[in-house]
């Protein structure tokens, strides 16, 4: 007999796939096995036993034979001895071979095809059912998705993070939760009564029924390896969801195979019901073989008919149950919306409110899993939650960035504050808030930054820098920053990304905003009111503004420093500057200004003005600066200024003057009537001559004329005995006057790029000048006497 196990390859599948087999598929699989056994049993009987037994039928009794028949078929003479009783019965005079021939002929001609091939039909139909039931597990387009899904499902189900996430309180957003580090850390966090009540309530929710856990920190802590594995699972689930939700091949394959099974069921029921009565025990057979056997009519017995009849009825019942189950499956497929899956129940039960609903094949597989065990979907849903992923990232961050490691990254910034800079991290480690000595926090390109209430532990924090960071704050953190933050720097891509809480920082003193705006936004730029910033003294906007925002006027009464740094966009409508009467410093950088704005001349308290990198060609308006009696620094560098007007002499209060990187050819002698000048930069111009009036500048400490066309230096230059820095590089000088010895305080001298052959020995009188401060070619330095060289090399 053929063993049923020989057919296992038709239905064999991975054991893990059982989670995608609902009860009706399992039930129909068992029905298929029973039907397969019926088919195999019937086929075995067909092969191993006689199929039919036939006997000839006489047309007329032997007594009525004609003389011809008697002559042709004489009665055989009996050789039975006298006294022995002869056996009686119908004699056919047929041998065994003739009977075998008659049986075969009658089986082929008289037996109905259904009665002959019933076992084979059962076997074929059953195999088709089995293949159809598992076809979507084998089809390449669907099996690959199923294998990936089953693999992830098992890992998600067994992941330690799943257990932890379901056991923790997950009902509120991370920014509304206070990290529970220790009793000591929590004692420093000020919470409102409502927040405290909410936290206590949610803590009770995390305690399983009938079980009270006092403190079990070790049970919820993942090691680094487990954390990394869970992180990888989040990425796999995210990519798999994105891929699978694009199509519905799994759903269509399952629908098609179910519809096919229903059609097959109807076909089998239809023709079986018609032919089942054709399976008969007694069969009349008429075969024209009289010349071979002497008979044409035979009475046959189909030996398997009785058993096959019972098997066929049993098979029909099984097919009927199979078909009804398939009809129920069809009803389930078309009645319910299986291409959409909602985690509403899971969200309510677990408290993880951000689990997204899914669609298409992803939704269909989850519906199938629910038929196996809804717990799988519940545990799998943890890896669809962004809140859960952020918590895991936070845990991994805390493992990687310990307080000791962060403390090693502390540096002192330009404002002499102890600063921690974090770059391109997946989040903000909670351990940052353990660095109580921290004064400045700089975050660059960090997504999903959540600042909890524990920031209040950083009592010394005064400066915060955010560079392309999406930030969320706990309400307690907002209150803390309002009271403590002094300096805020924000770099954004769109002004809508600016956090709303920054407008309420009432103790903020310095605000730096950097970001490009669209052309329409730059024309209609509207920042929210800065009126609450009562202490704001410095405001820097690095963008592409076309006008000064009206919101700046709100702080004009106490604003002291305003920096507008455009990207070359023309800045117009500067009348709002007149209202900023308390400005001390004003910078208009790359604003495409062709003239000095008249509004500036109203700023009576202005001390420093920077018009760097504009398009200034003429500065005739400079005479109006005489009204700005406090102006001490004027920066007109990186423009296209051709000449300096004579009335610059009226700016008697100037101490620093920047004219570098222009197109100036002639220096007016009136320039040196600004006798308070301490810093004069005329580098990168086309100057050929320095007037001797430069000797008037007795307060001059810094003088630079590098990258010009100067051939001679006036001796009066060396009367400026307070000079500490003298830059003469890249000119056409060939002689350096020995009067250089007058400059006893000189500490930096640049001579490189000229035509000097020797250096004067009088450089030795410049006691403050060292080798590091003497910028000159090495060969030229060697022309000095050895004792002077040695003197300069001693630092």
């Amino acid at each position: 007999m053929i063993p049923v196990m020989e057919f296992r390859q038709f239905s064999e599948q991975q054991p893990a796939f059982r989670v995608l087999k609902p009860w009706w598929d399992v039930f129909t699989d068992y029905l298929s096995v029973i039907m397969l056994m019926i088919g195999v049993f019937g086929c075995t009987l067909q092969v191993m036993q006689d199929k039919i037994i036939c006997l000839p039928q006489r047309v007329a009794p032997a007594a009525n034979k004609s003389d011809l028949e008697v002559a042709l078929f004489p009665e055989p003479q009996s050789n039975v001895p006298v006294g022995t009783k002869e056996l009686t019965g119908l004699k056919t005079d047929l041998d065994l071979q003739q009977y075998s021939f008659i049986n075969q002929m009658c089986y082929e001609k008289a037996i109905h095809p259904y009665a002959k091939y019933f076992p084979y039909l059962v076997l074929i139909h059953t195999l088709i059912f089995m293949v159809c039931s598992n076809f979507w597990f084998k089809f390449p387009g669907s099996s690959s998705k199923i294998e990936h899904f089953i693999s992830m499902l098992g890992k998600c189900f067994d992941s330690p993070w799943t257990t932890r996430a379901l056991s923790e309180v997950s009902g509120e957003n991370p920014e509304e939760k206070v990290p529970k580090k220790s009793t000591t850390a929590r004692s420093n966090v000020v919470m409102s009564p409502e927040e405290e009540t909410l936290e206590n309530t949610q803590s009770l929710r995390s305690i399983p029924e009938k079980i009270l856990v006092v403190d079990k920190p070790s049970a919820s802590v993942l090691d680094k390896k487990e954390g990394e594995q869970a992180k990888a699972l989040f990425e796999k689930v995210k990519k798999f969801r994105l891929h699978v939700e694009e199509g519905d091949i799994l759903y269509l394959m399952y629908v098609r195979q179910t519809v096919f099974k229903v059609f097959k069921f109807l076909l089998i029921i239809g023709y079986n019901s018609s032919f089942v009565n054709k399976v008969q025990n007694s069969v009349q057979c008429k075969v024209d073989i009289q010349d071979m056997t002497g008979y044409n009519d035979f009475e046959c017995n189909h030996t398997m008919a009785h058993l096959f009849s019972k098997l066929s009825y049993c098979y029909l019942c099984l097919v009927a149950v199979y078909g009804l189950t398939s009809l129920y499956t069809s009803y389930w497929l078309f009645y319910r919306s299986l291409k959409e899956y909602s985690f509403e129940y899971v969200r309510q039960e677990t408290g993880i409110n951000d689990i997204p609903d899914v669609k298409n094949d992803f939704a269909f597989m989850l519906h199938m899993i629910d038929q196996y065990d809804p717990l799988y979907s519940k545990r799998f849903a943890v890896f669809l939650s962004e809140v859960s992923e952020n918590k895991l990232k936070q845990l991994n961050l805390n493992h990687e960035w310990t307080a000791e490691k962060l403390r090693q990254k502390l540096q002192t910034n330009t404002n002499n504050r102890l600063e921690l800079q974090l770059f391109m991290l997946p989040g903000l480690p909670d351990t940052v808030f353990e660095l109580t000595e921290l004064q400045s926090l700089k975050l660059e390109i960090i997504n999903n930054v959540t600042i909890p209430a524990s920031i209040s532990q950083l009592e010394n924090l005064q400066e915060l820098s955010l560079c392309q960071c999406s930030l969320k704050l706990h309400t307690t953190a907002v209150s803390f920053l309002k009271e403590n933050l002094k300096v805020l720097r924000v770099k954004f891509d769109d002004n809508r990304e600016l956090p709303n809480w920054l407008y309420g920082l009432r103790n903020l003193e310095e605000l730096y905003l950097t970001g490009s705006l669209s052309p329409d936004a730059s024309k209609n730029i509207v920042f929210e009111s800065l009126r609450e910033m009562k202490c704001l003294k410095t405001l820097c906007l690095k963008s592409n503004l076309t006008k000064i925002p009206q919101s700046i006027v709100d702080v004009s009464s106490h604003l002291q420093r305003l920096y507008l740094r455009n990207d070359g966009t023309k800045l117009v409508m500067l009348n709002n500057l007149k209202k900023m009467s308390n400005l001390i410093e004003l910078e208009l950088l790359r604003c495409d200004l062709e003239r000095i704005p008249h509004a500036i001349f109203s700023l009576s308290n202005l001390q420093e003005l920077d018009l760097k990198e504009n398009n200034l060609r003429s500065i005739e308006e400079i005479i109006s600066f005489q009204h700005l009696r406090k102006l001490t620094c004027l920066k007109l560098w990186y423009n296209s200024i051709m000449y300096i007007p004579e009335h610059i002499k009226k700016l008697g209060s100037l101490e620093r003057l920047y004219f570098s990187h222009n197109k100036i050819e002639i220096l007016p002698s009136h320039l040196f009537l600004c006798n308070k000048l301490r810093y004069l930069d005329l580098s990168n111009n086309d100057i050929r001559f320095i007037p001797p009036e430069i000797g008037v500048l007795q307060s001059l400490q810094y003088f630079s004329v590098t990258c010009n066309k100067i051939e001679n230096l006036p001796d009066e230059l060396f009367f400026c005995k307070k000079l500490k820095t003298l830059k003469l590089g890249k000119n056409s000088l060939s002689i350096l006057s020995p009067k250089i010895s007058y400059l006893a305080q000189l500490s930096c001298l640049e001579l490189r790029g000229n035509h000097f052959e020797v250096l004067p020995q009088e450089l030795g009188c410049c006691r403050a000048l060292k080798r590091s401060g003497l910028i000159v070619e090495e060969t030229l330095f060697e022309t000095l006497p050895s004792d002077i060289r040695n003197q300069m090399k001693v630092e």
Side-chain angles (χ1 to χ4, degrees):
M1 185 173 180
I2 302 175
V4 179
M5 292 300 294
E6 292 297 327
F7 298 93
R8 68 181 182 275
Q9 64 268 22
F10 292 102
S11 60
E12 187 175 11
Q13 65 197 38
Q14 296 183 19
F17 284 8
R18 68 184 183 277
V19 297
L20 287 178
K21 293 184 76 69
W23 67 265
W24 51 81
D25 279 349
V26 176
F27 182 61
T28 52
D29 283 348
Y30 281 107
L31 290 177
S32 297
V33 171
I34 298 174
M35 291 188 287
L36 183 65
M37 294 177 65
I38 291 175
V40 171
F41 179 64
C43 290
T44 304
L45 292 177
Q46 286 278 69
V47 172
M48 299 184 65
Q49 295 189 13
D50 293 334
K51 302 175 183 178
I52 192 172
I53 298 175
C54 296
L55 294 176
Q57 285 185 334
R58 295 180 181 276
V59 177
N64 298 328
K65 289 182 180 179
S66 62
D67 295 337
L68 180 61
E69 289 176 337
V70 173
L72 291 174
F73 304 104
E75 292 290 337
Q77 297 296 322
S78 174
N79 298 323
V80 179
V82 179
T84 304
K85 185 176 180 180
E86 183 179 1
L87 298 175
T88 60
L90 296 177
K91 295 183 179 181
T92 60
D93 298 324
L94 297 177
D95 58 21
L96 184 60
Q97 291 183 346
Q98 288 175 314
Y99 276 116
S100 298
F101 178 74
I102 293 169
N103 291 343
Q104 187 64 32
M105 290 294 294
C106 287
Y107 182 79
E108 295 296 334
K109 188 172 182 178
I111 299 299
H112 191 273
Y114 180 80
K116 290 190 293 183
Y117 302 118
F118 164 73
Y120 303 106
L121 291 174
V122 172
L123 186 61
I124 292 172
H125 289 317
T126 303
L127 291 178
I128 292 175
F129 274 136
M130 296 175 73
V131 170
C132 184
S133 296
N134 299 284
F135 184 70
W136 73 318
F137 293 126
K138 304 293 184 181
F139 184 70
S142 57
S143 64
S144 60
K145 294 182 179 179
I146 293 175
E147 288 174 2
H148 290 154
F149 179 71
I150 295 298
S151 175
M152 287 190 306
L153 186 68
K155 293 177 181 178
C156 293
F157 190 90
D158 298 330
S159 173
W161 174 250
T162 310
T163 304
R164 170 171 178 154
L166 291 176
S167 63
E168 283 187 346
V169 177
S170 308
E172 58 181 29
N173 295 329
E175 62 269 19
E176 298 176 356
K177 291 179 64 180
V178 180
K180 295 184 275 289
K181 292 186 177 294
S182 65
T183 306
T184 305
R186 291 175 55 84
S187 63
N188 296 326
V189 180
V190 179
M191 301 181 62
S192 64
E194 293 79 4
E195 290 174 334
E196 198 167 349
T197 303
L198 178 61
E199 185 186 15
N200 293 337
T201 303
Q202 290 170 341
S203 299
L204 291 175
R205 288 175 52 196
S206 65
I207 302 177
E209 294 181 2
K210 300 182 181 180
I211 299 177
L212 181 61
V213 180
V214 177
D215 188 15
K216 198 169 78 172
S218 59
S220 62
V221 174
L222 303 182
D223 59 29
K224 185 175 180 180
K225 182 179 179 181
E226 291 172 340
E228 290 298 328
Q229 290 175 347
K231 181 180 177 181
L233 276 177
F234 272 106
E235 291 299 323
K236 288 182 179 179
V237 171
K238 192 180 299 182
K239 292 179 180 179
F240 180 78
R241 178 192 172 194
L242 186 64
H243 172 63
V244 174
E245 281 192 318
E246 293 177 352
D248 56 357
I249 184 173
L250 295 177
Y251 175 76
L252 292 178
M253 288 293 296
Y254 195 82
V255 168
R256 288 169 183 170
Q257 71 182 34
T258 302
V259 171
F260 181 81
K261 288 194 288 186
V262 172
F263 172 77
K264 189 79 174 174
F265 149 70
L266 295 175
L267 177 65
I268 294 173
I269 291 295
Y271 83 79
N272 271 272
S273 301
S274 303
F275 296 136
V276 69
N277 57 349
K278 300 296 183 180
V279 183
Q280 300 175 353
N281 288 347
S282 179
V283 180
Q284 297 294 325
C285 176
K286 184 174 180 63
V287 188
D288 189 13
I289 53 174
Q290 185 172 352
D291 56 340
M292 299 179 65
T293 61
Y295 300 95
N296 287 334
D297 298 321
F298 302 91
E299 182 74 20
C300 300
N301 177 261
H302 185 196
T303 57
M304 297 291 103
H306 180 73
L307 181 59
F308 281 2
S309 176
K310 299 297 184 288
L311 289 178
S312 63
Y313 282 110
C314 180
Y315 174 66
L316 278 176
C317 293
L318 293 174
V319 171
V321 176
Y322 192 103
L324 292 176
T325 306
S326 299
L327 287 173
Y328 172 80
T329 306
S330 302
Y331 169 78
W332 182 77
L333 285 172
F334 297 110
Y335 176 75
R336 299 186 60 182
S337 179
L338 299 181
K339 296 175 73 172
E340 296 179 357
Y341 188 91
S342 174
F343 285 98
E344 183 62 30
Y345 173 74
V346 179
R347 289 193 289 263
Q348 292 177 358
E349 183 177 356
T350 63
I352 307 177
N353 296 322
D354 73 321
I355 302 175
D357 295 336
V358 295
K359 59 183 180 178
N360 289 336
D361 281 343
F362 204 2
F364 177 66
M365 285 190 287
L366 290 171
H367 280 292
M368 297 293 282
I369 284 182
D370 280 347
Q371 299 298 319
Y372 182 80
D373 190 348
L375 182 60
Y376 277 88
S377 298
K378 177 181 176 182
R379 296 178 71 88
F380 184 74
V382 171
F383 289 87
L384 293 171
S385 166
E386 187 175 350
V387 170
S388 177
E389 183 178 8
N390 291 337
K391 287 182 180 179
L392 176 64
K393 290 179 179 178
Q394 194 67 39
L395 188 65
N396 289 337
L397 269 177
N398 297 339
H399 276 304
E400 181 179 0
W401 294 93
T402 61
E404 292 73 17
K405 184 177 180 180
L406 291 174
R407 192 167 276 110
Q408 295 174 0
K409 292 177 64 65
L410 292 177
Q411 295 179 346
T412 303
N413 63 11
T414 55
N415 294 329
N416 201 28
R417 292 190 177 103
L418 200 59
E419 183 177 82
L420 173 65
Q421 181 177 359
L422 299 177
F423 178 71
M424 290 189 70
L425 294 183
L428 184 64
D430 291 332
T431 48
V432 169
F433 309 113
E434 298 178 17
L435 308 179
T436 55
E437 69 273 26
L438 189 64
Q439 296 175 310
S440 175
L441 179 60
K442 187 174 183 180
L443 308 177
E444 295 187 58
I445 316 179
I446 301 179
N447 295 323
N448 302 319
V449 177
T450 300
I451 297 184
S454 55
I455 193 176
S456 57
Q457 298 173 200
L458 305 180
E459 298 177 353
N460 297 313
L461 184 67
Q462 297 180 358
E463 184 175 345
L464 178 62
S465 299
L466 304 173
C467 179
Q468 296 179 348
C469 297
S470 55
L471 192 66
K472 297 179 181 178
L473 269 72
H474 192 277
T475 52
T476 306
V478 173
S479 301
F480 172 79
L481 293 178
K482 284 182 179 181
E483 297 296 332
N484 294 76
L485 202 61
K486 303 296 182 183
V487 181
L488 176 63
R489 306 174 191 271
V490 180
K491 185 175 181 180
F492 59 91
D493 293 326
D494 190 329
N495 64 302
R496 289 174 294 184
E497 297 177 4
L498 290 174
N500 293 328
W501 49 265
L502 77 85
Y503 302 105
L505 301 176
R506 52 179 171 267
N507 288 325
L508 194 69
E509 296 179 358
E510 299 179 26
L511 176 61
Y512 300 85
L513 302 178
T514 303
S516 299
L517 304 172
S518 63
D520 293 337
S522 63
K523 293 178 181 178
N524 304 300
I525 181 67
V526 178
F527 291 109
E528 292 190 25
S529 176
L530 307 178
R531 194 171 288 110
E532 289 190 31
M533 298 184 180
K534 303 296 184 181
C535 300
L536 189 65
K537 292 180 175 57
T538 302
L539 176 60
C540 177
L541 300 178
K542 188 176 181 180
S543 186
N544 54 340
L545 303 175
T546 57
K547 62 180 181 179
I548 297 179
Q550 182 64 29
S551 55
I552 297 181
V553 181
D554 297 339
V555 292
S556 60
S557 61
H558 46 81
L559 192 65
Q560 296 180 359
R561 297 172 184 84
L562 177 61
Y563 307 115
L564 299 181
R565 300 169 181 173
N566 267 8
D567 61 352
T569 305
K570 190 174 184 62
L571 185 64
V572 296
M573 298 177 63
L574 297 172
N575 292 333
N576 285 340
L577 286 176
K578 295 180 180 180
K579 301 177 182 180
M580 303 179 191
S581 57
N582 291 319
L583 277 185
I584 296 176
E585 294 183 20
L586 175 63
E587 179 181 301
L588 302 176
L589 173 64
R590 299 192 66 196
C591 297
D592 195 25
L593 300 177
E594 297 179 359
R595 297 280 183 178
I596 299 176
H598 289 278
I600 296 176
F601 306 137
S602 303
L603 306 177
S604 58
N605 291 313
L606 194 64
Q607 297 178 11
E608 182 174 332
L609 175 62
D610 189 351
L611 298 177
K612 182 181 178 181
E613 294 189 67
N614 281 283
N615 195 23
L616 298 177
R617 291 182 173 84
S618 174
I619 54 172
E620 290 293 339
E621 303 89 351
I622 202 171
I623 190 174
S624 299
F625 281 136
Q626 64 181 322
H627 303 296
L628 307 182
R629 302 190 181 280
K630 296 182 180 180
L631 186 65
T632 59
C633 179
L634 180 59
K635 298 181 179 181
L636 297 173
W637 48 354
Y638 293 88
N639 280 282
S640 301
I641 299 172
M642 304 291 291
Y643 68 96
I644 301 174
E646 293 183 357
H647 41 257
I648 195 173
K649 63 184 179 182
K650 296 185 180 293
L651 307 183
S653 61
L654 278 183
E655 296 179 4
R656 291 183 294 160
L657 184 59
Y658 297 73
F659 269 117
S660 65
H661 295 84
N662 278 284
K663 299 179 180 179
I664 300 172
E665 297 181 0
I666 299 174
L667 290 178
S669 58
H670 299 82
L671 170 63
F672 305 108
L673 296 179
C674 302
N675 54 15
K676 290 185 179 181
L677 279 178
R678 293 184 292 104
Y679 187 106
L680 180 58
D681 188 355
L682 297 168
S683 60
N684 291 276
N685 280 283
D686 296 324
I687 301 171
R688 296 179 181 272
F689 175 73
I690 298 177
E693 287 79 3
I694 193 172
V696 176
L697 303 180
Q698 291 299 304
S699 299
L700 194 63
Q701 298 178 12
Y702 180 100
F703 182 60
S704 174
V705 286
T706 57
C707 298
N708 279 282
K709 301 176 182 179
I710 300 171
E711 297 179 356
N712 295 293
L713 295 174
D715 291 340
E716 288 78 4
L717 174 62
F718 305 106
F719 296 158
C720 304
K721 297 182 179 181
K722 292 185 178 181
L723 266 177
K724 295 180 180 179
T725 301
L726 178 59
K727 295 189 175 183
L728 305 171
K730 297 183 180 179
N731 279 281
S732 300
L733 299 172
S734 57
I735 299 176
L736 183 61
S737 172
K739 294 182 180 180
I740 190 73
S741 61
Y742 295 171
L743 306 180
Q745 299 182 30
L746 191 65
S747 59
C748 179
L749 176 61
E750 181 180 346
L751 300 174
R752 182 178 294 168
N754 283 282
H755 306 307
F756 295 116
E757 295 182 359
V758 294
L759 293 177
Q761 300 180 14
E762 286 75 10
L763 279 176
C765 298
C766 303
R767 298 294 181 180
L769 185 62
K770 302 300 180 182
R771 181 64 184 96
S772 59
L774 179 59
I775 304 173
V776 68
E777 292 85 353
E778 188 63 31
T779 55
L780 192 57
F781 178 71
E782 294 296 330
T783 63
L784 289 171
S786 59
D787 57 335
I788 297 177
R789 295 200 307 268
N790 294 333
Q791 171 190 323
M792 288 187 176
K793 289 180 180 179
V794 177
E795 296 293 339

